[in-house]
Amino acid sequence: MAHPAGGPAAMAQPRVLLTKEPAPQTVPASDQPMKAYEVALNTGTDSSSCLATAGFCTAKYLPTEWHLNNSELYRKAFAGCEQAEHGRAEAKELAEYAAAAAQRAQRDSTASVGQRLQDIHFWKAELQRKIEDLDAETRLLAAQKLRLERALDATEVPYAIAIDNLQCRERRQAPDLVCDEVERELLKEAELIRNIQELLKRTLVQASNQMRLNRDHKEFCEMDWSDKVEAYNIDDKCGKYSNQSTNVQFHPSSVKFEESASTPETWAKFSHDNIYRAEQEKLASINLRAVIDNILHDTSEDMRKQCAAVNEAFAKRCEELDDTKHKLEYHLKKILKEIGYQEANIAALQQAIKDKEAPMKVAQTRLYDRSFRPNVDLCRDEAQFRLISEVEELPESINSLKKKLLESEQTLRNLEDTRMNLEKEIAVKTNSIFIDRQKCMAHRTRYPAVVKLAGYQ
């Protein structure tokens, strides 16, 4: 179909419409005159003259051009549809990939938050367990400290009894005013009680310091545990967020790492160090409780043993005095009996000397084993000085016993020489018996029991 000269086709094809040159003339022109013809005029209703259609014949496309133009339009339309369909497929594929990537990233993030919750819960549980352990340990140590205080208070009565016995025995008359076994045992008892009091006071200071350390590390663990609880609640809330949550919004500025943020390694190390230090303090507290228990047990036993030794020495001394008095009254018969007691006393002294071997071995073994303490723990602590002092004191005690043994043997020999002079000693012996038995031994019945000395009452 032809378009007007000013139509779209004319604008799209601004070239000469004719595509072929006119055919050359086959008959050359001649000078002969043209034959004149009469043109028959169409006078009908459909008639037209040649002049009326002359302009339309040169403005038309050829049919081939028309078909080519249509084919080009078809091709462009098909290519456009194909390109659009390919773009839609790519857009759909990209949208599906982006949705899957977002879903996968959100799933991985949720799994990471879940794993983080497990890590926080683990450390939180460990911290809570350590807090409970330290709290329980502190209560146990407080109970041991109370035992120490009670035991320290309980030593006042034995010390007062020992001093009173020594003062009473100063009123003995000569020649009974002697430094006998009873007095040595009383002096040993007073010295033992003073040493025990000093030891209990030092141990009380250690217990107080350890309780303070327990509370400090418990506070550190509680602060760490509180942070873990808050972090757990935050991550738990984050783990529950979903695409359907209504309380989520954009936070562009949150996509950054804080300068003070820790790494997973330092984060775990911080809690691990807190737990490790708390465990160390717990173990130190447990060891201190064991030491306190051993101290209270040993000191109470030592005091009761020394009390028994003093009582035994008193008994022996009273027996000696009784025997002496009987010897003075019954002469040779009782002197012989006293000789028998002296022999028993000599055997007891020999046994006492032999019994000092075991303490000497223990003290020297302790010094030997403590020499293997590593590095800075090879310390000249109070225990070291006390052990050295013990090793030095034991030979003195043995020498004293040996000296007493020699004195007893000499007394045994002297009894044979002094049988006739014993009558004048009856009054002196009566006074000594009264002091030792009625004053001293009666007073010693107030000596506390082992349960009280151990701090249980």
Side-chain angles (χ1 to χ4, degrees):
M1 181 176 182
H3 297 279
M11 293 176 63
Q13 302 289 337
R15 68 181 186 274
V16 180
L17 296 177
L18 296 177
T19 59
K20 296 181 180 180
E21 295 291 334
Q25 296 290 333
T26 57
V27 179
S30 64
D31 295 333
Q32 295 179 358
M34 297 292 294
K35 182 179 180 178
Y37 294 92
E38 293 183 358
V39 179
L41 300 175
N42 189 356
T43 59
T45 57
D46 298 326
S47 64
S48 62
S49 64
C50 182
L51 294 175
T53 60
F56 293 97
C57 295
T58 61
K60 298 296 187 292
Y61 288 108
L62 295 177
T64 56
E65 293 176 334
W66 182 79
H67 287 292
L68 287 174
N69 183 62
N70 290 336
S71 297
E72 183 67 18
L73 292 176
Y74 299 156
R75 186 188 65 77
K76 290 181 178 180
F78 179 78
C81 291
E82 186 178 17
Q83 184 178 3
E85 183 179 0
H86 182 69
R88 284 189 294 106
E90 289 182 349
K92 181 179 180 182
E93 182 180 358
L94 181 60
E96 291 176 352
Y97 175 79
Q103 184 178 6
R104 182 171 59 254
Q106 188 179 86
R107 184 174 61 252
D108 294 343
S109 299
T110 303
S112 298
V113 172
Q115 181 62 41
R116 182 63 173 175
L117 284 173
Q118 293 181 4
D119 296 341
I120 295 175
H121 178 74
F122 169 78
W123 288 112
K124 180 168 67 71
E126 290 295 317
L127 287 167
Q128 184 174 359
R129 182 172 62 85
K130 196 55 60 183
I131 291 170
E132 294 173 354
D133 290 347
L134 274 179
D135 188 54
E137 179 58 34
T138 303
R139 288 196 298 269
L140 293 175
L141 186 57
Q144 290 291 77
K145 182 173 177 286
L146 180 60
R147 284 185 60 197
L148 282 172
E149 294 171 348
R150 290 173 177 173
L152 182 60
D153 293 338
T155 58
E156 295 297 331
V157 174
Y159 186 73
I161 291 174
I163 297 300
D164 182 75
N165 290 165
L166 288 170
Q167 291 175 350
C168 287
R169 298 189 91 243
E170 289 295 323
R171 296 195 294 268
R172 292 174 298 169
Q173 299 175 2
D176 283 358
L177 190 59
V178 295
C179 182
D180 56 4
E181 183 68 18
V182 177
E183 186 168 345
R184 282 192 292 271
E185 293 295 338
L186 284 172
L187 291 172
K188 187 187 299 183
E189 183 179 47
E191 183 67 21
L192 174 65
I193 294 174
R194 283 198 296 268
N195 292 335
I196 288 175
Q197 288 175 340
E198 293 298 324
L199 176 61
L200 294 180
K201 290 177 182 178
R202 292 195 302 270
T203 310
L204 272 173
V205 174
Q206 291 180 353
S208 299
N209 292 335
Q210 186 61 51
M211 289 176 64
R212 177 179 54 80
L213 290 174
N214 288 354
R215 293 191 182 100
D216 290 345
H217 285 82
K218 176 175 171 284
E219 183 178 354
F220 295 152
C221 291
E222 285 175 343
M223 293 174 62
D224 195 3
W225 177 85
S226 178
D227 293 342
K228 294 291 184 294
V229 170
E230 186 175 357
Y232 185 90
N233 293 335
I234 292 174
D235 283 351
D236 183 57
K237 181 176 69 173
C238 292
K240 293 179 180 178
Y241 285 144
S242 65
N243 296 332
Q244 290 74 32
S245 299
T246 59
N247 55 342
V248 295
Q249 56 185 340
F250 291 106
H251 296 282
S253 61
S254 64
V255 187
K256 64 180 181 179
F257 286 106
E258 299 292 340
E259 294 182 359
S260 60
S262 62
T263 64
E265 293 77 14
T266 58
W267 173 80
K269 186 177 183 298
F270 180 78
S271 296
H272 177 270
D273 291 345
N274 283 335
I275 292 174
Y276 175 77
R277 288 191 292 265
E279 181 66 22
Q280 293 299 108
E281 295 303 329
K282 175 189 171 184
L283 293 177
S285 182
I286 292 174
N287 292 335
L288 181 57
R289 283 196 298 110
V291 169
I292 292 173
D293 191 69
N294 292 333
I295 287 174
L296 292 174
H297 177 270
D298 294 342
T299 54
S300 60
E301 288 294 328
D302 290 344
M303 292 177 65
R304 287 304 306 180
K305 287 180 180 179
Q306 185 60 32
C307 177
V310 172
N311 291 338
E312 183 180 359
F314 264 118
K316 289 183 178 180
R317 185 59 177 171
C318 289
E319 289 177 0
E320 290 175 356
L321 292 172
D322 285 336
D323 291 340
T324 304
K325 182 181 177 181
H326 293 162
K327 290 171 186 177
L328 292 172
E329 294 174 349
Y330 300 105
H331 305 290
L332 183 58
K333 181 178 179 181
K334 292 301 179 181
I335 290 178
L336 295 175
K337 187 177 181 180
E338 180 61 24
I339 291 174
Y341 285 120
Q342 281 296 340
E343 291 174 349
N345 186 38
I346 291 172
L349 289 173
Q350 290 174 344
Q351 183 63 37
I353 294 172
K354 186 177 180 181
D355 290 342
K356 294 298 180 295
E357 295 177 358
M360 178 64 76
K361 292 179 181 178
V362 171
Q364 292 180 353
T365 303
R366 286 176 176 174
L367 284 173
Y368 176 77
D369 289 345
R370 283 172 63 86
S371 65
F372 292 98
R373 290 175 294 170
N375 299 327
V376 75
D377 283 334
L378 189 60
C379 177
R380 297 178 182 178
D381 52 7
E382 184 62 24
Q384 189 74 8
F385 288 109
R386 188 62 190 90
L387 286 171
I388 294 174
S389 176
E390 182 183 359
V391 172
E392 294 174 352
E393 289 173 3
L394 284 173
E396 296 178 0
S397 177
I398 293 173
N399 292 332
S400 298
L401 290 173
K402 290 181 178 180
K403 181 180 178 181
K404 184 58 181 177
L405 178 60
L406 295 176
E407 292 177 357
S408 298
E409 292 174 350
Q410 184 62 38
T411 301
L412 183 62
R413 289 189 296 268
N414 292 337
L415 285 173
E416 300 292 338
D417 299 333
T418 59
R419 288 178 296 176
M420 301 302 296
N421 298 323
L422 293 179
E423 291 182 354
K424 62 182 180 181
E425 298 294 332
I426 293 177
V428 175
K429 298 298 181 289
T430 302
N431 182 64
S432 298
I433 291 172
F434 175 78
I435 291 174
D436 287 350
R437 183 170 291 160
Q438 303 300 324
K439 293 291 186 179
C440 297
M441 295 186 70
H443 196 191
R444 296 189 66 82
T445 57
R446 297 174 50 207
Y447 206 95
V450 177
V451 176
K452 191 169 185 178
L453 293 175
Y456 289 109
Q457 294 180 354

